[in-house]
mmCIF file of all heavy atoms in Angstrom:
data_model
loop_
_atom_site.group_PDB
_atom_site.id
_atom_site.type_symbol
_atom_site.label_atom_id
_atom_site.label_comp_id
_atom_site.label_asym_id
_atom_site.label_seq_id
_atom_site.Cartn_x
_atom_site.Cartn_y
_atom_site.Cartn_z
ATOM 1 N N HIS A 175 30.495 -47.660 17.167
ATOM 2 C CA HIS A 175 29.981 -46.297 17.339
ATOM 3 C C HIS A 175 30.262 -45.462 16.087
ATOM 4 O O HIS A 175 29.384 -44.742 15.589
ATOM 5 C CB HIS A 175 30.627 -45.652 18.564
ATOM 6 C CG HIS A 175 30.179 -44.240 18.809
ATOM 7 N ND1 HIS A 175 28.956 -43.924 19.369
ATOM 8 C CD2 HIS A 175 30.775 -43.055 18.529
ATOM 9 C CE1 HIS A 175 28.822 -42.614 19.438
ATOM 10 N NE2 HIS A 175 29.915 -42.056 18.943
ATOM 11 N N LEU A 176 31.486 -45.564 15.562
ATOM 12 C CA LEU A 176 31.839 -44.806 14.362
ATOM 13 C C LEU A 176 31.052 -45.303 13.145
ATOM 14 O O LEU A 176 30.631 -44.499 12.303
ATOM 15 C CB LEU A 176 33.338 -44.920 14.095
ATOM 16 C CG LEU A 176 34.259 -44.199 15.084
ATOM 17 C CD1 LEU A 176 35.714 -44.518 14.776
ATOM 18 C CD2 LEU A 176 34.033 -42.697 15.023
ATOM 19 N N LEU A 177 30.834 -46.620 13.058
ATOM 20 C CA LEU A 177 30.074 -47.166 11.936
ATOM 21 C C LEU A 177 28.632 -46.664 11.976
ATOM 22 O O LEU A 177 28.049 -46.318 10.936
ATOM 23 C CB LEU A 177 30.108 -48.689 11.980
ATOM 24 C CG LEU A 177 29.655 -49.437 10.724
ATOM 25 C CD1 LEU A 177 30.543 -49.081 9.538
ATOM 26 C CD2 LEU A 177 29.689 -50.942 10.963
ATOM 27 N N ALA A 178 28.059 -46.604 13.166
ATOM 28 C CA ALA A 178 26.692 -46.078 13.301
ATOM 29 C C ALA A 178 26.652 -44.602 12.918
ATOM 30 O O ALA A 178 25.681 -44.136 12.310
ATOM 31 C CB ALA A 178 26.196 -46.265 14.736
ATOM 32 N N LEU A 179 27.709 -43.864 13.263
ATOM 33 C CA LEU A 179 27.764 -42.446 12.903
ATOM 34 C C LEU A 179 27.840 -42.279 11.381
ATOM 35 O O LEU A 179 27.189 -41.391 10.809
ATOM 36 C CB LEU A 179 28.971 -41.782 13.570
ATOM 37 C CG LEU A 179 29.187 -40.297 13.265
ATOM 38 C CD1 LEU A 179 27.964 -39.485 13.695
ATOM 39 C CD2 LEU A 179 30.444 -39.781 13.971
ATOM 40 N N VAL A 180 28.624 -43.138 10.714
ATOM 41 C CA VAL A 180 28.697 -43.096 9.252
ATOM 42 C C VAL A 180 27.313 -43.351 8.659
ATOM 43 O O VAL A 180 26.864 -42.636 7.743
ATOM 44 C CB VAL A 180 29.707 -44.132 8.724
ATOM 45 C CG1 VAL A 180 29.608 -44.260 7.206
ATOM 46 C CG2 VAL A 180 31.134 -43.751 9.126
ATOM 47 N N ASP A 181 26.609 -44.362 9.175
ATOM 48 C CA ASP A 181 25.253 -44.663 8.689
ATOM 49 C C ASP A 181 24.349 -43.441 8.831
ATOM 50 O O ASP A 181 23.590 -43.096 7.914
ATOM 51 C CB ASP A 181 24.653 -45.835 9.469
ATOM 52 C CG ASP A 181 25.325 -47.153 9.137
ATOM 53 O OD1 ASP A 181 25.907 -47.259 8.045
ATOM 54 O OD2 ASP A 181 25.255 -48.073 9.972
ATOM 55 N N ASP A 182 24.419 -42.783 10.014
ATOM 56 C CA ASP A 182 23.556 -41.631 10.255
ATOM 57 C C ASP A 182 23.891 -40.474 9.318
ATOM 58 O O ASP A 182 22.991 -39.804 8.785
ATOM 59 C CB ASP A 182 23.691 -41.175 11.707
ATOM 60 C CG ASP A 182 23.002 -42.116 12.681
ATOM 61 O OD1 ASP A 182 22.196 -42.943 12.222
ATOM 62 O OD2 ASP A 182 23.286 -42.041 13.890
ATOM 63 N N LEU A 183 25.175 -40.221 9.112
ATOM 64 C CA LEU A 183 25.562 -39.104 8.245
ATOM 65 C C LEU A 183 25.158 -39.346 6.799
ATOM 66 O O LEU A 183 24.718 -38.427 6.106
ATOM 67 C CB LEU A 183 27.078 -38.870 8.350
ATOM 68 C CG LEU A 183 27.576 -38.313 9.686
ATOM 69 C CD1 LEU A 183 29.093 -38.250 9.705
ATOM 70 C CD2 LEU A 183 26.984 -36.933 9.954
ATOM 71 N N VAL A 184 25.303 -40.587 6.336
ATOM 72 C CA VAL A 184 24.889 -40.905 4.965
ATOM 73 C C VAL A 184 23.375 -40.770 4.826
ATOM 74 O O VAL A 184 22.867 -40.237 3.832
ATOM 75 C CB VAL A 184 25.362 -42.316 4.575
ATOM 76 C CG1 VAL A 184 24.763 -42.741 3.241
ATOM 77 C CG2 VAL A 184 26.878 -42.365 4.503
ATOM 78 N N ASP A 185 22.620 -41.258 5.828
ATOM 79 C CA ASP A 185 21.165 -41.106 5.793
ATOM 80 C C ASP A 185 20.777 -39.636 5.827
ATOM 81 O O ASP A 185 19.828 -39.209 5.162
ATOM 82 C CB ASP A 185 20.525 -41.833 6.980
ATOM 83 C CG ASP A 185 20.354 -43.320 6.718
ATOM 84 O OD1 ASP A 185 20.347 -43.711 5.543
ATOM 85 O OD2 ASP A 185 20.238 -44.079 7.690
ATOM 86 N N LEU A 186 21.502 -38.852 6.636
ATOM 87 C CA LEU A 186 21.220 -37.423 6.727
ATOM 88 C C LEU A 186 21.377 -36.756 5.364
ATOM 89 O O LEU A 186 20.565 -35.919 4.969
ATOM 90 C CB LEU A 186 22.158 -36.787 7.756
ATOM 91 C CG LEU A 186 21.928 -35.308 8.073
ATOM 92 C CD1 LEU A 186 20.566 -35.107 8.719
ATOM 93 C CD2 LEU A 186 23.032 -34.784 8.986
ATOM 94 N N GLN A 187 22.439 -37.128 4.631
ATOM 95 C CA GLN A 187 22.641 -36.599 3.290
ATOM 96 C C GLN A 187 21.434 -36.908 2.403
ATOM 97 O O GLN A 187 20.987 -36.077 1.629
ATOM 98 C CB GLN A 187 23.897 -37.216 2.664
ATOM 99 C CG GLN A 187 25.209 -36.747 3.286
ATOM 100 C CD GLN A 187 25.632 -35.390 2.760
ATOM 101 O OE1 GLN A 187 25.389 -35.084 1.608
ATOM 102 N NE2 GLN A 187 26.254 -34.596 3.600
ATOM 103 N N ALA A 188 20.917 -38.131 2.539
ATOM 104 C CA ALA A 188 19.827 -38.562 1.662
ATOM 105 C C ALA A 188 18.519 -37.863 1.982
ATOM 106 O O ALA A 188 17.851 -37.328 1.077
ATOM 107 C CB ALA A 188 19.658 -40.076 1.758
ATOM 108 N N ILE A 189 18.125 -37.848 3.247
ATOM 109 C CA ILE A 189 16.783 -37.351 3.585
ATOM 110 C C ILE A 189 16.654 -35.844 3.434
ATOM 111 O O ILE A 189 15.542 -35.324 3.313
ATOM 112 C CB ILE A 189 16.379 -37.758 5.017
ATOM 113 C CG1 ILE A 189 17.271 -37.081 6.058
ATOM 114 C CG2 ILE A 189 16.384 -39.263 5.177
ATOM 115 C CD1 ILE A 189 16.822 -37.320 7.476
ATOM 116 N N GLU A 190 17.763 -35.117 3.418
ATOM 117 C CA GLU A 190 17.687 -33.660 3.287
ATOM 118 C C GLU A 190 17.780 -33.187 1.844
ATOM 119 O O GLU A 190 17.788 -31.988 1.577
ATOM 120 C CB GLU A 190 18.766 -33.000 4.150
ATOM 121 C CG GLU A 190 18.512 -33.219 5.643
ATOM 122 C CD GLU A 190 19.377 -32.365 6.539
ATOM 123 O OE1 GLU A 190 20.480 -31.988 6.087
ATOM 124 O OE2 GLU A 190 18.957 -32.073 7.672
ATOM 125 N N ARG A 191 17.847 -34.136 0.911
ATOM 126 C CA ARG A 191 17.784 -33.763 -0.503
ATOM 127 C C ARG A 191 16.359 -33.359 -0.878
ATOM 128 O O ARG A 191 15.397 -33.993 -0.430
ATOM 129 C CB ARG A 191 18.240 -34.929 -1.370
ATOM 130 C CG ARG A 191 19.722 -35.185 -1.366
ATOM 131 C CD ARG A 191 20.070 -36.386 -2.210
ATOM 132 N NE ARG A 191 19.503 -36.304 -3.549
ATOM 133 C CZ ARG A 191 19.680 -37.232 -4.486
ATOM 134 N NH1 ARG A 191 20.372 -38.320 -4.211
ATOM 135 N NH2 ARG A 191 19.149 -37.090 -5.681
ATOM 136 N N PRO A 192 16.191 -32.331 -1.699
ATOM 137 C CA PRO A 192 14.834 -31.912 -2.078
ATOM 138 C C PRO A 192 14.058 -32.990 -2.825
ATOM 139 O O PRO A 192 12.832 -33.031 -2.769
ATOM 140 C CB PRO A 192 15.072 -30.691 -2.987
ATOM 141 C CG PRO A 192 16.481 -30.305 -2.814
ATOM 142 C CD PRO A 192 17.235 -31.463 -2.269
ATOM 143 N N ASP A 193 14.781 -33.852 -3.547
ATOM 144 C CA ASP A 193 14.104 -34.875 -4.349
ATOM 145 C C ASP A 193 14.003 -36.212 -3.622
ATOM 146 O O ASP A 193 13.713 -37.238 -4.241
ATOM 147 C CB ASP A 193 14.833 -35.075 -5.682
ATOM 148 C CG ASP A 193 16.284 -35.530 -5.496
ATOM 149 O OD1 ASP A 193 16.796 -35.415 -4.360
ATOM 150 O OD2 ASP A 193 16.905 -35.980 -6.477
ATOM 151 N N PHE A 194 14.217 -36.231 -2.306
ATOM 152 C CA PHE A 194 14.168 -37.485 -1.562
ATOM 153 C C PHE A 194 12.751 -38.050 -1.564
ATOM 154 O O PHE A 194 11.782 -37.349 -1.276
ATOM 155 C CB PHE A 194 14.631 -37.273 -0.118
ATOM 156 C CG PHE A 194 14.546 -38.510 0.737
ATOM 157 C CD1 PHE A 194 15.412 -39.567 0.530
ATOM 158 C CD2 PHE A 194 13.596 -38.619 1.746
ATOM 159 C CE1 PHE A 194 15.340 -40.717 1.305
ATOM 160 C CE2 PHE A 194 13.524 -39.749 2.529
ATOM 161 C CZ PHE A 194 14.397 -40.797 2.308
ATOM 162 N N ARG A 195 12.632 -39.311 -1.934
ATOM 163 C CA ARG A 195 11.343 -39.994 -1.956
ATOM 164 C C ARG A 195 11.474 -41.362 -1.299
ATOM 165 O O ARG A 195 12.537 -41.979 -1.339
ATOM 166 C CB ARG A 195 10.848 -40.176 -3.398
ATOM 167 C CG ARG A 195 10.585 -38.874 -4.151
ATOM 168 C CD ARG A 195 9.366 -38.143 -3.625
ATOM 169 N NE ARG A 195 9.096 -36.946 -4.399
ATOM 170 C CZ ARG A 195 9.642 -35.758 -4.147
ATOM 171 N NH1 ARG A 195 10.498 -35.620 -3.150
ATOM 172 N NH2 ARG A 195 9.329 -34.708 -4.894
ATOM 173 N N VAL A 196 10.385 -41.825 -0.720
ATOM 174 C CA VAL A 196 10.345 -43.137 -0.079
ATOM 175 C C VAL A 196 9.204 -43.927 -0.683
ATOM 176 O O VAL A 196 8.119 -43.385 -0.924
ATOM 177 C CB VAL A 196 10.162 -43.013 1.454
ATOM 178 C CG1 VAL A 196 10.154 -44.388 2.105
ATOM 179 C CG2 VAL A 196 11.258 -42.165 2.063
ATOM 180 N N ASP A 197 9.421 -45.207 -0.930
ATOM 181 C CA ASP A 197 8.384 -46.056 -1.499
ATOM 182 C C ASP A 197 7.206 -46.206 -0.539
ATOM 183 O O ASP A 197 7.358 -46.091 0.682
ATOM 184 C CB ASP A 197 8.939 -47.457 -1.819
ATOM 185 C CG ASP A 197 9.959 -47.422 -2.949
ATOM 186 O OD1 ASP A 197 9.903 -46.471 -3.747
ATOM 187 O OD2 ASP A 197 10.792 -48.342 -3.017
ATOM 188 N N ALA A 198 6.047 -46.446 -1.092
ATOM 189 C CA ALA A 198 4.843 -46.703 -0.286
ATOM 190 C C ALA A 198 4.229 -48.012 -0.755
ATOM 191 O O ALA A 198 3.261 -48.017 -1.518
ATOM 192 C CB ALA A 198 3.851 -45.548 -0.404
ATOM 193 N N ASP A 199 4.816 -49.105 -0.321
ATOM 194 C CA ASP A 199 4.359 -50.440 -0.710
ATOM 195 C C ASP A 199 3.529 -51.060 0.406
ATOM 196 O O ASP A 199 3.666 -50.689 1.583
ATOM 197 C CB ASP A 199 5.567 -51.341 -1.004
ATOM 198 C CG ASP A 199 6.430 -50.805 -2.128
ATOM 199 O OD1 ASP A 199 5.854 -50.295 -3.106
ATOM 200 O OD2 ASP A 199 7.671 -50.881 -2.016
ATOM 201 N N PRO A 200 2.676 -52.031 0.081
ATOM 202 C CA PRO A 200 1.958 -52.743 1.140
ATOM 203 C C PRO A 200 2.940 -53.543 2.014
ATOM 204 O O PRO A 200 3.770 -54.282 1.498
ATOM 205 C CB PRO A 200 1.025 -53.689 0.371
ATOM 206 C CG PRO A 200 0.941 -53.120 -1.008
ATOM 207 C CD PRO A 200 2.254 -52.458 -1.267
ATOM 208 N N ILE A 201 2.875 -53.365 3.318
ATOM 209 C CA ILE A 201 3.724 -54.105 4.252
ATOM 210 C C ILE A 201 2.883 -54.573 5.436
ATOM 211 O O ILE A 201 1.774 -54.082 5.653
ATOM 212 C CB ILE A 201 4.908 -53.251 4.768
ATOM 213 C CG1 ILE A 201 4.388 -52.010 5.534
ATOM 214 C CG2 ILE A 201 5.828 -52.821 3.636
ATOM 215 C CD1 ILE A 201 5.480 -51.242 6.250
ATOM 216 N N ASP A 202 3.419 -55.509 6.193
ATOM 217 C CA ASP A 202 2.807 -55.959 7.438
ATOM 218 C C ASP A 202 3.606 -55.327 8.574
ATOM 219 O O ASP A 202 4.718 -55.758 8.882
ATOM 220 C CB ASP A 202 2.830 -57.486 7.528
ATOM 221 C CG ASP A 202 2.170 -58.017 8.786
ATOM 222 O OD1 ASP A 202 1.884 -57.216 9.703
ATOM 223 O OD2 ASP A 202 1.960 -59.241 8.881
ATOM 224 N N LEU A 203 3.057 -54.278 9.172
ATOM 225 C CA LEU A 203 3.792 -53.525 10.190
ATOM 226 C C LEU A 203 4.078 -54.373 11.428
ATOM 227 O O LEU A 203 5.128 -54.223 12.063
ATOM 228 C CB LEU A 203 3.004 -52.269 10.565
ATOM 229 C CG LEU A 203 3.745 -51.198 11.355
ATOM 230 C CD1 LEU A 203 5.043 -50.789 10.687
ATOM 231 C CD2 LEU A 203 2.848 -49.982 11.570
ATOM 232 N N ALA A 204 3.168 -55.281 11.769
ATOM 233 C CA ALA A 204 3.408 -56.165 12.918
ATOM 234 C C ALA A 204 4.580 -57.096 12.635
ATOM 235 O O ALA A 204 5.426 -57.344 13.515
ATOM 236 C CB ALA A 204 2.156 -56.970 13.242
ATOM 237 N N ASP A 205 4.672 -57.605 11.401
ATOM 238 C CA ASP A 205 5.789 -58.478 11.024
ATOM 239 C C ASP A 205 7.109 -57.728 11.060
ATOM 240 O O ASP A 205 8.115 -58.247 11.549
ATOM 241 C CB ASP A 205 5.548 -59.052 9.638
ATOM 242 C CG ASP A 205 6.714 -59.906 9.153
ATOM 243 O OD1 ASP A 205 6.973 -60.958 9.761
ATOM 244 O OD2 ASP A 205 7.377 -59.511 8.172
ATOM 245 N N VAL A 206 7.123 -56.480 10.573
ATOM 246 C CA VAL A 206 8.357 -55.685 10.602
ATOM 247 C C VAL A 206 8.780 -55.429 12.053
ATOM 248 O O VAL A 206 9.964 -55.466 12.383
ATOM 249 C CB VAL A 206 8.186 -54.363 9.836
ATOM 250 C CG1 VAL A 206 9.500 -53.591 9.820
ATOM 251 C CG2 VAL A 206 7.716 -54.616 8.417
ATOM 252 N N ALA A 207 7.801 -55.191 12.923
ATOM 253 C CA ALA A 207 8.119 -54.980 14.339
ATOM 254 C C ALA A 207 8.744 -56.232 14.956
ATOM 255 O O ALA A 207 9.700 -56.138 15.738
ATOM 256 C CB ALA A 207 6.850 -54.585 15.105
ATOM 257 N N ARG A 208 8.215 -57.409 14.593
ATOM 258 C CA ARG A 208 8.807 -58.652 15.106
ATOM 259 C C ARG A 208 10.243 -58.820 14.590
ATOM 260 O O ARG A 208 11.136 -59.245 15.330
ATOM 261 C CB ARG A 208 7.951 -59.852 14.680
ATOM 262 C CG ARG A 208 6.650 -59.998 15.432
ATOM 263 C CD ARG A 208 5.977 -61.328 15.150
ATOM 264 N NE ARG A 208 5.489 -61.419 13.784
ATOM 265 C CZ ARG A 208 4.268 -61.049 13.394
ATOM 266 N NH1 ARG A 208 3.415 -60.570 14.260
ATOM 267 N NH2 ARG A 208 3.902 -61.185 12.128
ATOM 268 N N ARG A 209 10.468 -58.490 13.322
ATOM 269 C CA ARG A 209 11.816 -58.604 12.767
ATOM 270 C C ARG A 209 12.783 -57.656 13.474
ATOM 271 O O ARG A 209 13.917 -58.026 13.783
ATOM 272 C CB ARG A 209 11.792 -58.303 11.266
ATOM 273 C CG ARG A 209 11.084 -59.357 10.421
ATOM 274 C CD ARG A 209 10.922 -58.870 8.991
ATOM 275 N NE ARG A 209 10.171 -59.797 8.176
ATOM 276 C CZ ARG A 209 10.700 -60.673 7.340
ATOM 277 N NH1 ARG A 209 12.016 -60.749 7.224
ATOM 278 N NH2 ARG A 209 9.950 -61.482 6.617
ATOM 279 N N ALA A 210 12.337 -56.426 13.718
ATOM 280 C CA ALA A 210 13.199 -55.454 14.412
ATOM 281 C C ALA A 210 13.536 -55.947 15.813
ATOM 282 O O ALA A 210 14.687 -55.840 16.265
ATOM 283 C CB ALA A 210 12.504 -54.096 14.472
ATOM 284 N N ALA A 211 12.539 -56.498 16.515
ATOM 285 C CA ALA A 211 12.788 -57.040 17.852
ATOM 286 C C ALA A 211 13.782 -58.193 17.794
ATOM 287 O O ALA A 211 14.654 -58.323 18.659
ATOM 288 C CB ALA A 211 11.477 -57.493 18.486
ATOM 289 N N GLY A 212 13.670 -59.032 16.752
ATOM 290 C CA GLY A 212 14.604 -60.147 16.609
ATOM 291 C C GLY A 212 16.032 -59.677 16.394
ATOM 292 O O GLY A 212 16.970 -60.264 16.941
ATOM 293 N N LEU A 213 16.212 -58.602 15.623
ATOM 294 C CA LEU A 213 17.558 -58.073 15.387
ATOM 295 C C LEU A 213 18.190 -57.539 16.669
ATOM 296 O O LEU A 213 19.417 -57.496 16.786
ATOM 297 C CB LEU A 213 17.503 -56.956 14.341
ATOM 298 C CG LEU A 213 17.167 -57.387 12.909
ATOM 299 C CD1 LEU A 213 16.961 -56.168 12.029
ATOM 300 C CD2 LEU A 213 18.270 -58.281 12.341
ATOM 301 N N LEU A 214 17.349 -57.134 17.621
ATOM 302 C CA LEU A 214 17.865 -56.550 18.864
ATOM 303 C C LEU A 214 17.837 -57.524 20.030
ATOM 304 O O LEU A 214 18.135 -57.141 21.159
ATOM 305 C CB LEU A 214 17.041 -55.304 19.216
ATOM 306 C CG LEU A 214 17.215 -54.138 18.242
ATOM 307 C CD1 LEU A 214 16.076 -53.150 18.395
ATOM 308 C CD2 LEU A 214 18.544 -53.449 18.457
ATOM 309 N N ALA A 215 17.502 -58.780 19.768
ATOM 310 C CA ALA A 215 17.348 -59.753 20.845
ATOM 311 C C ALA A 215 18.662 -59.975 21.605
ATOM 312 O O ALA A 215 18.680 -60.059 22.834
ATOM 313 C CB ALA A 215 16.829 -61.079 20.295
ATOM 314 N N VAL A 216 19.779 -60.064 20.867
ATOM 315 C CA VAL A 216 21.064 -60.308 21.531
ATOM 316 C C VAL A 216 21.452 -59.124 22.399
ATOM 317 O O VAL A 216 21.898 -59.282 23.542
ATOM 318 C CB VAL A 216 22.152 -60.600 20.479
ATOM 319 C CG1 VAL A 216 23.524 -60.696 21.146
ATOM 320 C CG2 VAL A 216 21.846 -61.886 19.727
ATOM 321 N N ARG A 217 21.270 -57.905 21.863
ATOM 322 C CA ARG A 217 21.603 -56.719 22.647
ATOM 323 C C ARG A 217 20.755 -56.642 23.907
ATOM 324 O O ARG A 217 21.255 -56.343 24.996
ATOM 325 C CB ARG A 217 21.389 -55.453 21.814
ATOM 326 C CG ARG A 217 21.801 -54.178 22.535
ATOM 327 C CD ARG A 217 21.351 -52.921 21.812
ATOM 328 N NE ARG A 217 21.831 -52.858 20.437
ATOM 329 C CZ ARG A 217 21.547 -51.859 19.612
ATOM 330 N NH1 ARG A 217 20.759 -50.855 20.031
ATOM 331 N NH2 ARG A 217 22.016 -51.866 18.385
ATOM 332 N N ALA A 218 19.450 -56.940 23.765
ATOM 333 C CA ALA A 218 18.573 -56.898 24.932
ATOM 334 C C ALA A 218 18.978 -57.947 25.964
ATOM 335 O O ALA A 218 19.018 -57.666 27.170
ATOM 336 C CB ALA A 218 17.129 -57.115 24.495
ATOM 337 N N SER A 219 19.307 -59.151 25.492
ATOM 338 C CA SER A 219 19.703 -60.212 26.411
ATOM 339 C C SER A 219 20.963 -59.845 27.181
ATOM 340 O O SER A 219 21.086 -60.122 28.377
ATOM 341 C CB SER A 219 19.914 -61.516 25.629
ATOM 342 O OG SER A 219 20.359 -62.544 26.472
ATOM 343 N N SER A 220 21.913 -59.197 26.492
ATOM 344 C CA SER A 220 23.162 -58.812 27.161
ATOM 345 C C SER A 220 22.928 -57.772 28.252
ATOM 346 O O SER A 220 23.727 -57.644 29.178
ATOM 347 C CB SER A 220 24.161 -58.275 26.136
ATOM 348 O OG SER A 220 23.736 -57.032 25.610
ATOM 349 N N ARG A 221 21.835 -57.035 28.146
ATOM 350 C CA ARG A 221 21.486 -56.025 29.161
ATOM 351 C C ARG A 221 20.401 -56.536 30.108
ATOM 352 O O ARG A 221 19.881 -55.771 30.920
ATOM 353 C CB ARG A 221 21.003 -54.754 28.477
ATOM 354 C CG ARG A 221 22.060 -54.086 27.594
ATOM 355 C CD ARG A 221 21.494 -52.841 26.929
ATOM 356 N NE ARG A 221 21.105 -51.843 27.913
ATOM 357 C CZ ARG A 221 21.912 -50.930 28.413
ATOM 358 N NH1 ARG A 221 23.176 -50.878 28.024
ATOM 359 N NH2 ARG A 221 21.488 -50.053 29.304
#
């Protein structure tokens, strides 16, 4: 829980900077969705 909070606070610092930019590269959104689901498979199974 604390590690997730650290991640959120660091991200918060980044996204609220005036010069914050994000790349816009070609991606496969369906593939990224499958990867995200795979990362959460163990958590879902436990529930």
Side-chain angles (χ1 to χ4, degrees):
H175 179 77
L176 290 174
L177 194 61
L179 179 59
V180 170
D181 290 337
D182 287 345
L183 291 175
V184 172
D185 278 339
L186 185 64
Q187 290 280 326
I189 65 173
E190 294 192 334
R191 286 178 51 179
D193 60 345
F194 177 71
R195 297 290 183 272
V196 181
D197 292 337
D199 300 320
I201 61 171
D202 182 349
L203 194 53
D205 177 65
V206 183
R208 286 190 292 270
R209 291 171 184 261
L213 291 172
L214 293 162
V216 174
R217 184 191 304 179
S219 177
S220 69
R221 298 179 62 87

